[in-house]
Amino acid sequence: MASKLQPIRGTHDLLPEACRAHARVEQACLRVAARYGYGEIRTPILEVTPVFSRSLGDATDVVQKEMYTFDDRGGESVTMRPENTASVARAVLSNGLLDQVPLKLHYAGPMFRYERPQKGRYRQFHQIGVELFGVPEPAGDIEIIAMGADVLGELGLLDNVRLEINTLGDTESREAYRVALVAFLQARRDQLSDESEERLERNPMRVLDSKSEADKAVVADAPSIFDHLTDEARAFFDAVLAGLDALGIAYEVNPRIVRGLDYYCHTAFEFITTELGAQGTVIGGGRYDGLMQQMGGPALPGVGWAGGIERLSMMAGAGEEAARPIALVPVGETAEQRALVLARELRGQGFAIDLGYRGNLKRRMQRANKAQASHALILGDDELERGVVILRDLDSGEQTELSIDRVSEGLPRRA
Ligand code: ATP
Ligand code: MG
């Protein structure tokens, strides 16, 4: 016997309720994006591998361990996108959008990372995100962070998350800090986790946001980027914070927020919740002024964030059900034909109509209850002869008669 076919580990079927929860997050982002004048972009899920290997940095966890990369039938190395900022940057270059700055874009869709599946961490997951290209000023960072707060506000989650923010400084600040940090970590090498020993070589800043307890203990006394910021980088960060203050957006400065990808500079931030256990970051983002050049384009500053739809929807839930349907209940053969036509008419007028495929009055009323119908429209042969149908309120049991030609006028709200 053939074995049962299952989805690939770390991937999931989204059934209707989960889809409603996802759509709710996507629509919150869509509304906020529209208010800020951001247009949607949809890029291919498959890209040639250098789109990611060049941009994210060869030494990052994502590129080293997490990418779904394979040779296609033509022998070209392709990758299923692990994140979307690099794809969007590629699209900006491919479509010659550089002269349209400031470019304001948002997206939603699936991403793929070969991670160890656990609650809030999957191999196919979904993100919403926003990207702003061509704005080197702190005003860009402030707008992007405000949009994150607004999406969380739309979902009723603002009180459940905190905003943590940091600066990675400009290139000069980061280089100076890197030297100090590596010296500090080298001296404590034997206390670090194996993973962080490796990071020390490739990507020392990443040790700062390690989840290992041993690493956390070491990092507690590590030098701070704030001792190495240039005056310009300091002023930039202060301006971002002043903007957040002016908007009443609460934050905590956390020098451990570094973000995983190589292309970040200046602002790095995360919206974090304590409600989802270890996978608490619901939105992460920052400034990536170096990205475009890394991808072979001109220097073009950028800032943005990505939010995990699974994590956000786990917190926000599916929200209100769609409008309860009205069940059409024909009794008898003539009524059956009449119901078929009436159902389509009413659906055409915007009502949600549940129409069974078979069964007597009792069976059909059971079905109406199962479909959580608010009302039943009962079409009996007797009534049809008199030109009426019976409308029964399924919550109160109250019944009225409606003229069959003017049913819609007597019905409750449309779907
Ligand atoms: P983490 O530290 O949790 O691994 P990350 O830094 O890798 O996060 P980003 O690349 O910044 O995450 O992605 C932005 C958001 O996308 C995350 O904050 C999270 O909400 C979500 N996310 C990232 N990876 C996954 C995953 N494997 N499964 C579900 N959601 C994810
Ligand atoms: Mg990750």
Side-chain angles (χ1 to χ4, degrees):
M1 209 174 71
S3 65
K4 239 192 191 170
L5 298 175
Q6 297 288 351
I8 290 174
R9 187 166 133 81
T11 73
H12 296 274
D13 301 309
L14 296 176
L15 302 182
E17 190 180 336
C19 286
R20 275 213 313 281
H22 276 224
R24 201 169 160 224
V25 174
E26 290 168 11
Q27 280 157 16
C29 185
L30 214 67
R31 285 195 298 275
V32 170
R35 290 174 203 154
Y36 282 82
Y38 283 56
E40 185 173 0
I41 182 163
R42 301 188 190 191
T43 59
I45 285 166
L46 277 180
E47 297 273 1
V48 294
T49 301
V51 168
F52 305 110
S53 57
R54 252 187 236 164
S55 58
L56 311 192
D58 283 338
T60 58
D61 286 353
V62 170
V63 170
Q64 291 247 320
K65 301 183 218 149
E66 298 176 359
M67 292 209 308
Y68 277 89
T69 297
F70 56 94
D71 289 348
D72 71 8
R73 287 171 191 276
E76 182 159 41
S77 176
V78 297
T79 295
M80 294 172 72
R81 65 181 184 195
E83 60 106 43
N84 211 22
T85 302
S87 305
V88 173
R90 197 271 308 135
V92 167
L93 293 173
S94 311
N95 293 280
L97 305 180
L98 289 166
D99 53 356
Q100 296 177 28
V101 294
L103 256 175
K104 302 155 72 168
L105 298 167
H106 73 97
Y107 61 80
M111 309 293 156
F112 302 84
R113 296 184 194 176
Y114 196 80
E115 304 208 61
R116 192 169 69 76
Q118 51 199 292
K119 185 184 171 216
R121 191 177 294 288
Y122 314 103
R123 290 182 174 175
Q124 175 175 341
F125 62 102
H126 300 77
Q127 288 183 335
I128 49 171
V130 298
E131 315 284 3
L132 172 62
F133 293 94
V135 180
E137 296 90 355
D141 310 55
I142 296 163
E143 173 167 294
I144 286 291
I145 294 171
M147 290 177 78
D150 288 357
V151 170
L152 293 166
E154 287 281 306
L155 294 169
L157 298 178
L158 258 190
D159 292 340
N160 313 53
V161 297
R162 60 179 192 281
L163 168 61
E164 298 196 354
I165 187 166
N166 188 25
T167 177
L168 308 173
D170 45 23
T171 314
E172 195 185 330
S173 317
R174 224 175 29 255
E175 271 317 305
Y177 179 50
R178 196 185 153 97
V179 170
L181 181 65
V182 168
F184 173 89
L185 293 174
Q186 285 286 10
R188 292 156 186 82
R189 206 188 172 102
D190 51 342
Q191 298 164 44
L192 292 174
S193 68
D194 291 350
E195 220 180 2
S196 282
E197 265 199 77
E198 219 182 291
R199 288 192 184 114
L200 187 49
E201 306 298 330
R202 298 189 275 111
N203 199 351
M205 303 269 275
R206 262 341 284 269
V207 179
L208 293 177
D209 76 342
S210 165
K211 281 153 194 152
S212 129
E213 290 303 324
D215 295 342
K216 281 186 189 165
V218 174
V219 154
D221 304 317
S224 163
I225 179 92
F226 289 96
D227 298 327
H228 300 273
L229 291 181
T230 60
D231 290 346
E232 293 79 18
R234 176 86 235 183
F236 191 98
F237 190 53
D238 287 344
V240 173
L241 299 187
L244 297 179
D245 289 336
L247 296 178
I249 297 174
Y251 57 83
E252 286 166 37
V253 174
N254 177 356
R256 308 276 169 261
I257 299 282
V258 293
R259 314 287 312 134
L261 312 177
D262 270 5
Y263 52 59
Y264 285 104
C265 64
H266 287 294
T267 316
F269 63 90
E270 295 185 351
F271 286 94
I272 303 173
T273 176
T274 49
E275 289 174 19
L276 298 176
Q279 269 59 252
T281 302
V282 289
I283 290 179
R287 178 165 281 278
Y288 45 85
D289 291 349
L291 173 64
M292 275 294 181
Q293 269 181 317
Q294 239 168 290
M295 299 193 71
L300 182 72
V303 53
W305 53 251
I309 296 182
E310 280 80 2
R311 294 185 197 178
L312 288 165
S313 65
M314 254 191 279
M315 292 176 73
E320 261 185 48
E321 288 261 353
R324 292 168 68 188
I326 295 162
L328 285 200
V329 179
V331 189
E333 207 129 302
T334 324
E336 193 109 26
Q337 287 305 311
R338 193 69 187 81
L340 190 66
V341 176
L342 183 60
R344 188 136 189 269
E345 273 170 25
L346 292 174
R347 285 170 178 151
Q349 292 168 30
F351 293 99
I353 301 298
D354 182 79
L355 177 60
Y357 305 98
R358 66 188 75 83
N360 57 20
L361 177 66
K362 187 174 165 212
R363 283 281 302 278
R364 287 184 184 257
M365 290 308 286
Q366 281 168 350
R367 182 192 158 87
N369 283 324
K370 211 172 151 202
Q372 301 191 332
S374 63
H375 294 74
L377 262 185
I378 303 164
L379 289 75
D381 287 343
D382 285 357
E383 285 83 10
L384 282 180
E385 252 170 54
R386 287 195 289 122
V388 297
V389 296
I390 297 169
L391 177 68
R392 183 187 295 175
D393 182 322
L394 293 178
D395 295 329
S396 68
E398 236 169 81
Q399 292 200 162
T400 46
E401 279 189 356
L402 302 176
S403 157
I404 183 124
D405 299 324
R406 298 166 57 182
V407 171
S408 62
E409 291 166 30
L411 293 184
R413 71 202 164 111
R414 286 160 211 263

